[in-house]
């Protein structure tokens, strides 16, 4: 069998990380890379900082230059957070009869906030005999799929809390700015009001994925965003919050089922949590038969986790039935320590 | 769509529990029950202690009486721990073109210790256009599938420890006897030597499932069984161990990959662990990129967990491709809070 052939669309921090991870794996090769601006025409190997060795070079190009019909088994689209913004890219790839994995948060369960686009994407994929999946660490695993898996050993479920307490300290200046690190509380509130505080994208998707998986109908989803005000000065590599100012964002999400909150999301993100005795971790707390009280501590780091989830789902999306897939419609994610080709159903391989 | 139709083969504690759970669910009904001896000819409702209400009665019968070709969508085989002992039952059901879920521990991954039978089972299922799965709480979820899921967010894996520390106190006299509760240490050792100490069945299966999932080749699996000697008298509802005697069994399993132990199973089971400050729980400890350090505490109870896993996988095995399936080849387990029919692919329904 030929190597699994991958195109990466978007060589930011996540796309570059996926390239580096793929270059360490057996039975898979990167056959194309797409980006814009100054990266065009450059060698992907130079951009991601990996020795090319005796591999053929991969020159960053436009979609039209890189994507030819059935030239790859999968394209990793690592460009957007919102389905709407990425839709034309998906369309372009699917119509070239190539499978897609997207890291867009909304694509983890586009049925939640973009049902009409989800339907179009499903139809496009089916019409072209390929499949498309959105995944990442969260949404994609921690606050949704992991909850679903643990409901699997329950006879019944009354209530779910999914909590991710994580540190923003490893992130760069963009994230510090997006999350309002160092702002005064009034300024933070103003930005929440005018909608310029990004926060976490994914509560609608995670809540709807869990509900769909276990058979609950969601009436509505609400969410809130509050400042985490620090009592002490906190200094991270790329962010600083003085005592009294904002050291992070506490987001909560509520999924209503039959008029009651039955699914809660709790996701406080801050710099230097350990300076104030906050233990980071990923929590699954289920009230049901039986109760589940699970924690992974410290939390799975967001960057590595997203890179790994997208790469590790490549075999599953190649083997999948045509159409829009989700993490609850496919076999479980898993690390790839052997030859990636060992996992591919020969009938599903695009580049034979 | 007609209700999902289920036959239960074996009305012991587990089979009866599955019946009770199914009777609370929507869109599913029990159409047959099989057992032997004094249970034959009795009403299943009486045996499991549930009001029949206006449901048609289900009279416990022989396999020949109960199982007619395509008379149900799935048969839950809840009779054995070992593939070899259950094989003829699977054959009987599969040849009637009905899907099977087995709670036999070895069936969680029969490729591990019964590769020849696994092949035959796969061929039988394919020849009859149906599918078969082994599952339960452990093997099936805690010490294997949960590990696999968490490797999904890892770029690479160096070493895995799967630990389940559980209490035997909820179990009855049979388990007390099987696990040697109350024996003197010498007597325990004699029983280990002559092979009459049952212990946990499933390390070979869990280790091979994890390895197969992530792409490691297992050279060999070894395991050990040691007494948990108590320093204090411990009294459980059905078992007693005086100070100096055996209060439980500590089993360990080792999976060798490239000559090194890379997968460890650690499964101490004892009565009244809380009397000596032992916290029960399910642990997934992965050394890799990143590390995972997860615990569910207290542990998922074995009985409820197995009942729920078998019932909750019914839609997945009905929808599956023909052949032998495993927990790593199917979409993730999940609780069933809605109508079970909502999850069934109409093309895969047997009783239309």
């Amino acid at each position: 069998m030929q190597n699994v052939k991958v195109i990466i669309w978007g060589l930011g921090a996540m796309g570059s990380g996926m390239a580096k991870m793929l270059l360490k794996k057996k039975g898979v090769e990167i056959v194309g890379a797409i980006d814009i601006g100054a990266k065009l025409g450059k060698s992907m190997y130079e951009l991601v900082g990996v020795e090319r060795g005796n591999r053929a070079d991969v020159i960053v190009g436009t979609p039209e230059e890189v994507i030819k019909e059935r030239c790859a088994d999968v394209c990793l689209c690592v460009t957007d957070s919102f389905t709407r913004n990425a839709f034309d890219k998906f369309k372009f790839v699917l119509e070239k009869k190539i499978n897609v994995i997207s890291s867009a948060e909304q694509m983890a369960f586009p049925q939640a906030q973009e049902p009409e686009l989800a339907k179009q994407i499903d139809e496009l994929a089916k019409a072209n005999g390929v499949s498309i999946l959105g995944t990442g660490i969260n949404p994609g695993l921690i606050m949704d799929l992991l909850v679903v898996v643990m409901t699997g050993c329950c006879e019944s479920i009354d209530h779910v809390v999914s909590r991710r307490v994580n540190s923003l300290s490893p992130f760069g200046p963009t994230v510090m700015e997006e999350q309002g690190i160092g702002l005064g509380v009034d300024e933070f509130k103003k930005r929440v009001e005018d909608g310029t505080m990004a926060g976490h994208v994914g509560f609608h998707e995670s809540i709807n994925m869990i509900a769909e998986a276990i058979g609950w109908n969601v009436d509505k989803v609400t969410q809130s965003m509050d400042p985490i005000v620090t009592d002490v000065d906190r200094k991270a590599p790329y962010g600083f919050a003085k005592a009294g100012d904002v050291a992070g964002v506490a987001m909560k999400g509520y999924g209503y089922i039959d008029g009651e909150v039955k699914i809660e999301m709790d996701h406080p993100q801050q710099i230097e949590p350990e300076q104030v005795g906050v233990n980071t971790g990923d929590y699954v707390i289920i009230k049901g038969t039986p109760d589940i009280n699970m924690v992974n501590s410290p939390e799975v780091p967001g960057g590595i986790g997203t890179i790994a989830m997208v790469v590790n789902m490549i075999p599953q999306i190649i083997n999948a039935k045509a159409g829009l897939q989700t993490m609850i419609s496919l076999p479980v994610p898993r690390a790839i320590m052997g030859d990636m080709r060992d996992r591919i159903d020969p009938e599903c391989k695009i580049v034979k």
Side-chain angles (χ1 to χ4, degrees), chain A:
Chain A
M1 188 187 280
Q2 285 201 43
N3 280 340
V4 174
K5 314 258 183 188
V6 181
I7 292 169
I8 302 179
W9 190 330
L11 286 177
M14 292 297 100
S16 297
M18 291 169 203
K20 283 188 211 174
M21 179 176 168
L22 282 166
L23 292 170
K24 290 180 203 152
K25 299 288 173 190
K26 275 179 276 183
V28 58
E29 63 186 85
I30 302 169
V31 297
I34 299 166
D35 212 309
I36 50 175
K39 291 179 186 169
L40 277 171
K42 295 239 167 77
S43 164
M44 176 196 77
Y45 291 96
E46 276 172 42
L47 288 171
V48 305
V50 172
E51 282 289 325
R52 177 161 71 85
N54 53 10
R55 301 179 185 97
D57 207 355
V58 175
I59 302 300
V60 176
T62 64
E64 291 76 12
E65 286 165 354
V66 171
I67 305 188
K68 310 294 175 190
E69 189 165 308
R70 301 175 67 84
C71 74
D73 296 296
V74 64
C75 178
L76 310 181
C77 290
V78 200
T79 52
D80 297 275
S81 288
F82 299 97
T83 302
R84 191 161 291 277
N85 300 342
F87 178 80
D88 289 343
K89 301 183 184 86
F90 301 151
K91 187 167 185 289
F92 190 87
V93 182
L94 295 171
E95 288 181 340
K96 301 290 185 192
K97 305 191 193 308
I98 294 172
N99 301 297
V100 173
I101 302 180
S102 164
S103 64
E105 287 92 330
Q106 279 194 337
M107 275 296 290
F109 207 76
Q111 298 88 338
Q113 298 200 82
E114 294 285 9
E116 185 47 47
L117 288 182
K119 197 160 158 275
Q120 284 182 46
I121 291 168
D122 184 49
E123 287 166 359
L124 265 169
K126 283 178 176 155
N128 289 284
V130 289
S131 54
I132 175 167
L133 167 73
T135 194
I137 194 67
N138 184 37
L141 177 64
I142 294 300
M143 295 186 84
D144 37 45
L145 187 71
L146 192 54
V147 174
V148 172
V149 170
M150 293 312 295
T151 70
C153 62
C154 296
E155 291 192 6
S156 67
I157 307 291
D158 299 321
H159 187 265
V160 167
V161 176
S162 184
R163 175 173 294 139
R164 179 162 161 86
V165 183
N166 65 317
S167 173
L168 293 174
S169 290
F171 291 91
T174 313
V175 169
M176 297 301 130
E177 157 62 20
E178 282 172 1
Q179 304 285 337
I181 305 304
L183 292 181
V185 175
D186 287 348
E187 213 179 334
F188 178 97
K189 289 186 175 162
K190 203 184 295 166
R191 279 187 54 188
V192 172
E193 271 169 34
D194 67 21
T196 58
M197 185 66 66
H200 170 71
V201 177
F203 283 169
H204 285 82
E205 290 70 26
S206 293
I207 288 170
N208 277 281
M209 191 195 299
I210 294 168
E212 167 72 19
I214 70 174
W216 277 346
N217 294 315
V218 178
D219 308 331
K220 67 170 175 179
V221 172
T222 64
Q223 61 181 45
S224 65
M225 194 189 277
D226 288 298
I228 298 174
V229 180
T230 184
D231 289 332
V232 297
D233 290 358
R234 296 197 214 175
K235 189 172 165 23
Y238 295 97
F240 174 73
K242 73 171 197 294
D245 283 349
V246 174
V249 181
M251 286 190 65
K252 296 191 182 197
Y254 302 96
Y256 288 76
I257 286 97
D258 298 330
E260 252 181 83
V261 174
K262 291 199 179 177
I263 304 177
E264 291 186 39
M265 304 270 126
D266 184 9
H267 190 18
Q269 308 194 77
Q270 61 201 287
I271 57 167
E272 302 296 294
E274 57 283 353
Q275 287 192 23
V276 291
V278 171
N279 290 318
T280 59
D282 302 311
Y283 300 78
V284 176
I285 303 158
I286 297 174
K287 294 291 167 209
T289 308
D291 291 342
I292 300 292
N293 184 32
M294 196 161 80
V295 55
N296 172 60
S297 182
E299 83 279 17
V300 176
I304 300 176
T306 291
I307 289 165
M309 286 292 291
V310 169
V311 169
N312 288 336
M313 289 303 290
I314 290 175
Q316 280 92 320
I317 203 65
I318 293 175
N319 293 341
K321 276 204 275 194
L324 172 62
Q325 301 289 343
T326 67
M327 291 305 291
I328 56 173
S329 68
L330 295 174
V332 296
R334 62 203 69 171
I336 302 177
M337 298 305 293
D339 190 310
M340 197 184 283
R341 291 171 294 185
D342 295 344
R343 309 216 183 155
I344 307 296
D345 178 345
E347 286 178 26
C348 301
K349 189 86 168 60
I350 291 179
V351 186
K352 306 261 188 195

